[in-house]
Amino acid sequence: MSRREQIEALLADEPNDSFLLYGLAMEYRKEGAHAEALARFDQLIQQTPPYVPAYFMAGQMLAEAGRANESRTWLRDGIEEAQRQGNAHAAGEMSELLMTLGQMGE
């Protein structure tokens, strides 16, 4: 049984577990299954409160895939949410990545 399959089995019992959803998203990302990873990242940011690391990982994955505009959107939204949650570290990491994409001022 693969790591992804193990996580999926655990999620059957705990479908809203943030840690498991994040782990599943990261496994999909590692496999190159970007649509599936984005769906899990989106699920995480729909939770209350939104799961801030999902914004950063989605933004990073999209940037690596050459989807800079989508990456910028995820990162900007993530920075706002991180600031709302008082997570300066995460906001800073996302700001740095956004700057490398050349669109911090927009």
Side-chain angles (χ1 to χ4, degrees):
M1 183 180 272
S2 73
R3 180 171 164 85
R4 180 178 50 80
E5 290 169 333
Q6 291 173 354
I7 294 169
E8 288 170 335
L10 292 169
L11 275 168
D13 294 329
E14 297 289 334
N16 296 314
D17 184 291
S18 297
F19 181 74
L20 292 174
L21 285 169
Y22 185 74
L24 183 58
M26 295 302 287
E27 287 299 311
Y28 279 131
R29 178 184 178 187
K30 186 170 70 175
E31 294 171 5
H34 294 160
E36 291 85 353
L38 280 176
R40 296 310 171 276
F41 288 135
D42 189 57
Q43 190 175 355
L44 284 161
I45 68 167
Q46 299 304 318
Q47 293 182 348
T48 304
Y51 193 70
V52 170
Y55 290 100
F56 181 57
M57 287 298 121
Q60 191 177 61
M61 179 184 72
L62 289 164
E64 291 168 358
R67 296 165 61 180
N69 287 335
E70 290 173 86
S71 175
R72 289 181 194 105
T73 299
W74 276 85
L75 293 169
R76 287 184 184 119
D77 292 347
I79 291 165
E80 289 177 19
E81 184 57 41
Q83 290 170 339
R84 271 194 291 277
Q85 292 185 26
N87 189 338
H89 179 75
E93 285 186 325
M94 287 184 275
S95 293
E96 286 178 26
L97 179 53
L98 191 57
M99 282 189 285
T100 67
L101 295 173
Q103 297 296 320
M104 189 62 185
E106 287 184 15

